Amino acid sequence: MSVLIAYASKYGSTAEIAERIAGKLCDLGQNALAVPAEAAGDPTAYDAIIVGSAVYLGSWRKEATDFVRHNRATLSARPVWLFSSGPLGTETTDINGKDLEVEARPKEIDEFESEISPRGSHVFFGVLDPEKLAGRDRLMRRLPPVREILPEGDFRNWDEVDAWATSIADELARSTPSSTE
Ligand SMILES: Cc1cc2nc3c(=O)[nH]c(=O)nc-3n(C[C@H](O)[C@H](O)[C@H](O)COP(=O)(O)O)c2cc1C
């Protein structure tokens, strides 16, 4: 099956997650391509679509939300999965003891779940390299309370990314009629 992974990334770490998912899907026999959401164009030619975005201030990046909103009809007629890349650190719960993957859920996901009925939606931990931050991001991260919730480091769990991609490949393989049938 042809699978589009349309992603939005500001500093490159979400792009690397998208590329990793594409690589894993290709290893597992799918024809997958990761493309920045703003360059992805019309996804009608793809059999399945994965949309992912970095999370900033509780939201997906505009390129990804625009992609979903512009292609709502196509997305709701195909198998779709969503992923977000956001929380930082090694804790899986926030200061109130709540599950970070749930708390870090970007605000658009409810809207997209009801409008395009994705088969799955996943939050991956992300990356923060203070040297790379520009403009307002750099200033904001210097504030002590913000610095605490945005620790420096690469917190991506590649085994988790691979496992998620594998579950998608399995689901696609199950829905592809076998060539011998
Ligand atoms: C200014 C700023 C705000 C952020 N806000 C959030 C947020 O609200 N929720 C979250 O989970 N992660 C947040 N993050 C973490 C980013 O989502 C994380 O660094 C992500 O991996 C960046 O992806 P990118 O390299 O593809 O841009 C923020 C990071 C910065 C620098």
Side-chain angles (χ1 to χ4, degrees), residues 9-14 54-58 85-87 126-127 133 137 150:
S9 178
K10 193 168 185 182
Y11 296 108
S13 64
T14 309
V55 183
Y56 286 89
L57 306 178
S85 148
V127 176
L133 295 184
D137 294 344
L150 297 178

Side-chain angles (χ1 to χ4, degrees), residues 75-76 78-80 111-120:
L75 296 179
S76 41
R78 281 173 180 59
V80 169
E111 170 198 330
F112 295 159
E113 285 193 339
S114 66
E115 291 195 343
I116 58 172
S117 304
R119 294 193 180 189

Side-chain angles (χ1 to χ4, degrees), residues 49-173:
I49 299 143
I50 299 171
V51 191
S53 177
V55 183
Y56 286 89
L57 306 178
S59 284
W60 266 21
R61 295 200 28 92
K62 187 174 184 302
E63 302 91 309
T65 54
D66 283 353
F67 177 83
V68 173
R69 289 181 181 136
H70 289 159
N71 296 295
R72 229 181 285 253
T74 305
L75 296 179
S76 41
R78 281 173 180 59
V80 169
W81 287 264
L82 308 177
F83 75 89
S84 307
S85 148
L88 300 166
T90 51
E91 300 296 326
T92 53
T93 53
D94 68 8
I95 48 169
N96 300 313
K98 293 189 174 162
D99 187 336
L100 253 185
E101 285 198 26
V102 175
E103 292 304 298
R105 193 178 150 92
K107 62 180 179 209
E108 297 81 9
I109 299 299
D110 282 347
E111 170 198 330
F112 295 159
E113 285 193 339
S114 66
E115 291 195 343
I116 58 172
S117 304
R119 294 193 180 189
S121 170
H122 198 85
V123 176
F124 295 112
F125 276 66
V127 176
L128 190 132
D129 177 353
E131 296 302 314
K132 277 193 182 174
L133 295 184
R136 207 178 53 158
D137 294 344
R138 182 178 278 263
L139 292 175
M140 201 183 300
R141 206 231 163 215
R142 282 199 188 131
L143 302 170
V146 177
R147 188 185 281 256
E148 221 167 278
I149 52 170
L150 297 178
E152 170 180 357
D154 183 345
F155 304 100
R156 290 171 295 182
N157 178 338
W158 294 115
D159 288 343
E160 188 185 357
V161 175
D162 288 346
W164 194 67
T166 301
S167 71
I168 292 174
D170 289 349
E171 202 168 327
L172 292 175

